[in-house]
Short mmCIF file of all heavy atoms in Angstrom, two decimals:
data_model
loop_
_atom_site.label_atom_id
_atom_site.label_comp_id
_atom_site.label_asym_id
_atom_site.label_seq_id
_atom_site.Cartn_x
_atom_site.Cartn_y
_atom_site.Cartn_z
N VAL A 10 -1.42 -8.62 2.75
CA VAL A 10 -1.58 -9.51 3.91
C VAL A 10 -0.25 -10.19 4.26
O VAL A 10 0.12 -10.30 5.41
CB VAL A 10 -2.69 -10.56 3.64
CG1 VAL A 10 -2.76 -11.59 4.72
CG2 VAL A 10 -4.05 -9.88 3.48
N THR A 11 0.47 -10.64 3.22
CA THR A 11 1.75 -11.34 3.46
C THR A 11 2.87 -10.38 3.80
O THR A 11 3.99 -10.79 4.09
CB THR A 11 2.13 -12.19 2.24
OG1 THR A 11 2.25 -11.33 1.12
CG2 THR A 11 1.16 -13.28 1.97
N ASN A 12 2.61 -9.06 3.71
CA ASN A 12 3.58 -8.00 4.03
C ASN A 12 4.79 -8.08 3.12
O ASN A 12 5.92 -7.83 3.55
CB ASN A 12 3.99 -8.08 5.49
CG ASN A 12 4.01 -6.69 6.13
OD1 ASN A 12 3.68 -5.69 5.48
ND2 ASN A 12 4.38 -6.61 7.40
N THR A 13 4.58 -8.41 1.85
CA THR A 13 5.68 -8.47 0.88
C THR A 13 5.59 -7.31 -0.10
O THR A 13 6.13 -7.35 -1.19
CB THR A 13 5.64 -9.82 0.10
OG1 THR A 13 4.33 -10.00 -0.40
CG2 THR A 13 6.05 -10.99 0.99
N HIS A 14 4.88 -6.24 0.32
CA HIS A 14 4.78 -5.05 -0.53
C HIS A 14 5.87 -4.06 -0.16
O HIS A 14 6.56 -4.21 0.85
CB HIS A 14 3.39 -4.41 -0.34
CG HIS A 14 3.11 -3.96 1.05
ND1 HIS A 14 3.55 -2.74 1.55
CD2 HIS A 14 2.48 -4.58 2.08
CE1 HIS A 14 3.21 -2.65 2.80
NE2 HIS A 14 2.54 -3.73 3.16
N SER A 15 6.03 -3.00 -0.98
CA SER A 15 7.06 -2.02 -0.72
C SER A 15 6.44 -0.62 -0.57
O SER A 15 7.02 0.37 -0.96
CB SER A 15 8.09 -2.03 -1.85
OG SER A 15 7.41 -2.04 -3.11
N CYS A 16 5.18 -0.60 -0.04
CA CYS A 16 4.51 0.69 0.16
C CYS A 16 5.17 1.46 1.31
O CYS A 16 5.71 0.87 2.23
CB CYS A 16 3.03 0.44 0.51
SG CYS A 16 2.09 -0.29 -0.81
N ASN A 17 5.05 2.79 1.20
CA ASN A 17 5.57 3.68 2.22
C ASN A 17 4.83 3.45 3.54
O ASN A 17 3.69 3.01 3.56
CB ASN A 17 5.39 5.12 1.74
CG ASN A 17 6.07 6.12 2.65
OD1 ASN A 17 5.57 6.51 3.66
ND2 ASN A 17 7.27 6.52 2.23
N LEU A 18 5.49 3.78 4.63
CA LEU A 18 4.91 3.64 5.96
C LEU A 18 3.62 4.45 6.08
O LEU A 18 2.67 4.05 6.78
CB LEU A 18 5.95 4.14 6.99
CG LEU A 18 5.67 3.90 8.46
CD1 LEU A 18 5.70 2.40 8.75
CD2 LEU A 18 6.70 4.61 9.32
N HIS A 19 3.54 5.57 5.32
CA HIS A 19 2.37 6.44 5.36
C HIS A 19 1.47 6.20 4.16
O HIS A 19 0.83 7.11 3.65
CB HIS A 19 2.80 7.92 5.42
CG HIS A 19 3.70 8.21 6.57
ND1 HIS A 19 3.29 8.17 7.87
CD2 HIS A 19 5.04 8.49 6.61
CE1 HIS A 19 4.35 8.44 8.68
NE2 HIS A 19 5.39 8.62 7.92
N ALA A 20 1.46 4.96 3.66
CA ALA A 20 0.63 4.61 2.51
C ALA A 20 -0.21 3.39 2.80
O ALA A 20 0.11 2.57 3.66
CB ALA A 20 1.49 4.37 1.27
N GLU A 21 -1.32 3.27 2.09
CA GLU A 21 -2.17 2.09 2.19
C GLU A 21 -1.81 1.15 1.05
O GLU A 21 -1.55 1.57 -0.05
CB GLU A 21 -3.64 2.50 1.98
CG GLU A 21 -4.33 3.01 3.24
CD GLU A 21 -5.74 3.45 2.91
OE1 GLU A 21 -6.54 2.56 2.53
OE2 GLU A 21 -6.01 4.67 3.03
N CYS A 22 -1.81 -0.14 1.36
CA CYS A 22 -1.55 -1.18 0.34
C CYS A 22 -2.89 -1.66 -0.19
O CYS A 22 -3.79 -1.98 0.58
CB CYS A 22 -0.73 -2.31 0.95
SG CYS A 22 -0.48 -3.69 -0.17
N LEU A 23 -3.04 -1.73 -1.51
CA LEU A 23 -4.27 -2.23 -2.15
C LEU A 23 -3.89 -3.42 -3.01
O LEU A 23 -3.09 -3.29 -3.95
CB LEU A 23 -4.90 -1.13 -3.01
CG LEU A 23 -5.17 0.20 -2.31
CD1 LEU A 23 -5.38 1.32 -3.33
CD2 LEU A 23 -6.38 0.07 -1.42
N ASN A 24 -4.44 -4.59 -2.68
CA ASN A 24 -4.11 -5.79 -3.45
C ASN A 24 -4.79 -5.75 -4.82
O ASN A 24 -5.93 -5.30 -4.96
CB ASN A 24 -4.56 -7.04 -2.71
CG ASN A 24 -4.09 -8.31 -3.40
OD1 ASN A 24 -2.92 -8.45 -3.72
ND2 ASN A 24 -5.01 -9.23 -3.64
N THR A 25 -4.07 -6.18 -5.86
CA THR A 25 -4.62 -6.31 -7.22
C THR A 25 -4.29 -7.73 -7.71
O THR A 25 -3.47 -8.40 -7.11
CB THR A 25 -4.02 -5.28 -8.21
OG1 THR A 25 -2.61 -5.55 -8.31
CG2 THR A 25 -4.23 -3.86 -7.77
N GLU A 26 -4.93 -8.15 -8.76
CA GLU A 26 -4.69 -9.48 -9.34
C GLU A 26 -3.25 -9.58 -9.82
O GLU A 26 -2.85 -8.90 -10.73
CB GLU A 26 -5.68 -9.70 -10.46
CG GLU A 26 -5.86 -11.16 -10.88
CD GLU A 26 -6.41 -12.09 -9.80
OE1 GLU A 26 -7.24 -11.64 -8.96
OE2 GLU A 26 -5.99 -13.24 -9.80
N GLY A 27 -2.45 -10.39 -9.13
CA GLY A 27 -1.05 -10.61 -9.53
C GLY A 27 -0.08 -9.55 -9.03
O GLY A 27 1.11 -9.64 -9.28
N SER A 28 -0.60 -8.49 -8.38
CA SER A 28 0.30 -7.41 -7.94
C SER A 28 -0.34 -6.64 -6.77
O SER A 28 -1.18 -7.18 -6.06
CB SER A 28 0.58 -6.49 -9.12
OG SER A 28 1.60 -5.54 -8.76
N PHE A 29 0.05 -5.37 -6.62
CA PHE A 29 -0.53 -4.51 -5.57
C PHE A 29 -0.30 -3.05 -5.97
O PHE A 29 0.50 -2.73 -6.84
CB PHE A 29 0.14 -4.79 -4.21
CG PHE A 29 1.60 -4.47 -4.17
CD1 PHE A 29 2.05 -3.24 -3.71
CD2 PHE A 29 2.54 -5.39 -4.60
CE1 PHE A 29 3.40 -2.94 -3.68
CE2 PHE A 29 3.89 -5.09 -4.60
CZ PHE A 29 4.33 -3.87 -4.14
N LYS A 30 -1.04 -2.16 -5.30
CA LYS A 30 -0.89 -0.72 -5.52
C LYS A 30 -0.69 -0.05 -4.17
O LYS A 30 -1.13 -0.58 -3.13
CB LYS A 30 -2.13 -0.14 -6.20
CG LYS A 30 -2.21 -0.45 -7.69
CD LYS A 30 -3.44 0.22 -8.31
CE LYS A 30 -3.45 -0.12 -9.81
NZ LYS A 30 -4.81 -0.13 -10.34
N CYS A 31 -0.06 1.12 -4.17
CA CYS A 31 0.15 1.86 -2.95
C CYS A 31 -0.49 3.24 -3.11
O CYS A 31 -0.34 3.87 -4.16
CB CYS A 31 1.64 2.04 -2.66
SG CYS A 31 2.55 0.50 -2.56
N LYS A 32 -1.17 3.70 -2.06
CA LYS A 32 -1.83 5.01 -2.09
C LYS A 32 -1.53 5.73 -0.79
O LYS A 32 -1.74 5.18 0.29
CB LYS A 32 -3.34 4.80 -2.26
CG LYS A 32 -4.13 6.08 -2.50
CD LYS A 32 -5.61 5.77 -2.64
CE LYS A 32 -6.39 7.05 -2.68
NZ LYS A 32 -7.70 6.94 -2.09
N CYS A 33 -0.96 6.95 -0.92
CA CYS A 33 -0.62 7.71 0.28
C CYS A 33 -1.86 7.96 1.14
O CYS A 33 -2.92 8.28 0.60
CB CYS A 33 0.05 9.04 -0.09
SG CYS A 33 1.70 8.80 -0.82
N LYS A 34 -1.68 7.86 2.44
CA LYS A 34 -2.79 8.09 3.36
C LYS A 34 -3.17 9.57 3.36
O LYS A 34 -2.39 10.40 2.93
CB LYS A 34 -2.39 7.66 4.79
CG LYS A 34 -2.29 6.16 4.96
CD LYS A 34 -1.83 5.78 6.34
CE LYS A 34 -1.62 4.28 6.46
NZ LYS A 34 -0.95 3.92 7.72
N GLN A 35 -4.36 9.87 3.90
CA GLN A 35 -4.84 11.26 3.96
C GLN A 35 -3.84 12.12 4.70
O GLN A 35 -3.27 11.73 5.73
CB GLN A 35 -6.21 11.30 4.68
CG GLN A 35 -7.25 12.01 3.87
CD GLN A 35 -8.60 11.99 4.56
OE1 GLN A 35 -8.90 11.09 5.33
NE2 GLN A 35 -9.40 12.97 4.29
N GLY A 36 -3.59 13.30 4.11
CA GLY A 36 -2.64 14.22 4.74
C GLY A 36 -1.23 14.06 4.18
O GLY A 36 -0.32 14.83 4.50
N TYR A 37 -1.06 13.04 3.31
CA TYR A 37 0.24 12.81 2.65
C TYR A 37 0.05 12.83 1.14
O TYR A 37 -1.03 12.53 0.65
CB TYR A 37 0.83 11.46 3.08
CG TYR A 37 1.26 11.42 4.52
CD1 TYR A 37 0.38 11.05 5.51
CD2 TYR A 37 2.58 11.71 4.87
CE1 TYR A 37 0.77 11.00 6.82
CE2 TYR A 37 2.98 11.69 6.20
CZ TYR A 37 2.08 11.32 7.18
OH TYR A 37 2.50 11.28 8.47
#
């Protein structure tokens, strides 16, 4: 939400407790 993640432009950001995860979008 705060946009302080470093996920790829073609990835989804998933918030976790104290951190975050990145997952490539479909087709990537």
